[in-house]
Amino acid sequence: MTTIVTLKDINKLFLKGQIQTHALKDIKIEINEGEFVSISGPSGCGKSTLLSLLGLLDAPTSGTYQLTDINVESLSVDQRSKIRNQYIGYVFQSFNLIDHLTVFENVALPLEHRSEKSSDIKQAVEETLAIVDMQSHIHHKPNQLSGGQQQRVAIARALVGNPKILLVDEPTGNLDSRNGDLVMQELIKLNKQGVTIVMVTHDERYSRMASRQIKIFDGEVLVEHQEAVV
Ligand SMILES: Nc1ncnc2c1ncn2[C@@H]1O[C@H](COP(=O)(O)OP(=O)(O)O)[C@@H](O)[C@H]1O
Ligand SMILES: [Mg+2]
């Protein structure tokens, strides 16, 4: 079994004026290839902070993060962004699509950064949009799409570069329950196809759909629950 993520004794402190927040406390987590891990817990418990560390968007105050065989702390700024581009797919709660770009252009962005051939980019974008069933909206702009459709485009953008791990922050947070259910079905389908997923959610109903559930309370891992494999 290949281990994708190894976090050891991760602490994260934020200092804002006089106020110090100990957002993550001695976090130890391993994630293996093919897993679908949910991270749940009440608002403010540290879920998004943890996901942004996993996504190399922020760095811990102490502790080590190994991503496959790479020791993340030893990377230069340039190496970090390269590894982020190649290894990580990140889906933000607010989608973060670029308004003036089309669906095609949004999804192509991670590949443009790799300076791939435009015919290869076109093929990869079309294939990935087909996976999330959005190929018919390829020339639309984000504001012409529903929330659920925008979320699917954001998932396609995260997947197009074939990342080692897909990190998803509150994928259903901005959606009504019908669209939330559709996005969950999409994530479950992707996981069955082999995509390793870490999903942050405060919704118990959705966290139970993952193959392993990590519950966080006040910056600490409270319990881990693994589904029995039948
Ligand atoms: N950039 C920041 N600066 C200061 N405090 C922060 C920052 N980001 C998060 N926090 C604090 O860290 C704690 C965890 O936040 P967060 O990870 O966003 O929680 P969750 O995603 O579980 O709702 C909260 O107390 C929050 O106020
Ligand atoms: Mg959050």
Side-chain angles (χ1 to χ4, degrees):
M1 194 154 28
T2 310
T3 305
I4 308 275
V5 164
T6 312
L7 296 181
K8 283 193 183 137
D9 304 323
I10 292 286
N11 283 276
K12 180 68 181 178
L13 291 127
F14 290 111
L15 195 59
K16 222 180 193 174
Q18 298 291 323
I19 301 164
Q20 182 177 284
T21 307
H22 199 163
L24 296 173
K25 298 169 188 162
D26 296 326
I27 300 279
K28 298 174 192 59
I29 293 175
E30 268 192 24
I31 295 164
N32 294 317
E33 192 169 44
E35 279 198 289
F36 187 165
V37 176
S38 70
I39 296 174
S40 62
S43 177
C45 72
K47 303 181 298 293
S48 294
T49 303
L50 178 56
L51 204 70
S52 67
L53 297 184
L54 289 174
L56 302 178
L57 300 171
D58 199 357
T61 311
S62 65
T64 60
Y65 175 11
Q66 198 173 318
L67 179 60
T68 64
D69 57 350
I70 299 162
N71 204 336
V72 165
E73 293 85 56
S74 61
L75 299 175
S76 68
V77 173
D78 280 358
Q79 286 170 326
R80 256 177 104 82
S81 32
K82 201 165 173 195
I83 295 296
R84 189 187 308 131
N85 177 271
Q86 289 180 351
Y87 283 56
I88 311 273
Y90 207 102
V91 183
F92 298 87
Q93 178 174 351
S94 49
F95 319 134
N96 285 15
L97 296 173
I98 297 175
D99 289 336
H100 66 271
L101 300 181
T102 64
V103 165
F104 178 91
E105 290 161 342
N106 268 284
V107 176
L109 278 175
L111 301 180
E112 303 282 357
H113 287 294
R114 296 183 195 175
S115 39
E116 289 191 8
K117 268 199 350 227
S118 62
S119 56
D120 292 346
I121 293 178
K122 186 166 182 287
Q123 190 184 347
V125 170
E126 285 171 358
E127 281 173 11
T128 314
L129 282 172
I131 293 170
V132 297
D133 204 18
M134 283 300 291
Q135 68 276 52
S136 55
H137 293 73
I138 197 160
H139 300 303
H140 285 59
K141 295 272 177 67
N143 65 10
Q144 297 172 306
L145 305 174
S146 72
Q149 290 173 327
Q150 290 186 49
Q151 184 68 292
R152 273 154 48 209
V153 173
I155 292 172
R157 181 179 59 183
L159 281 176
V160 74
N162 203 14
K164 300 244 182 251
I165 190 161
L166 182 65
L167 306 175
V168 198
D169 198 352
E170 304 274 7
T172 61
N174 281 332
L175 304 177
D176 59 37
S177 64
R178 194 182 66 88
N179 278 306
D181 288 354
L182 287 174
V183 165
M184 274 310 295
Q185 281 168 25
E186 196 66 52
L187 292 175
I188 290 166
K189 184 181 91 184
L190 289 169
N191 177 248
K192 289 206 171 110
Q193 290 168 355
V195 180
T196 309
I197 301 179
V198 179
M199 172 186 75
V200 159
T201 180
H202 64 269
D203 191 325
E204 278 293 317
R205 198 165 65 87
Y206 292 132
S207 74
R208 279 197 298 270
M209 293 178 182
S211 55
R212 178 155 60 108
Q213 297 147 46
I214 298 176
K215 290 198 171 35
I216 299 196
F217 189 78
D218 210 6
E220 289 180 276
V221 173
L222 202 61
V223 280
E224 287 200 47
H225 177 72
Q226 177 103 45
E227 287 299 313
V229 182
V230 268

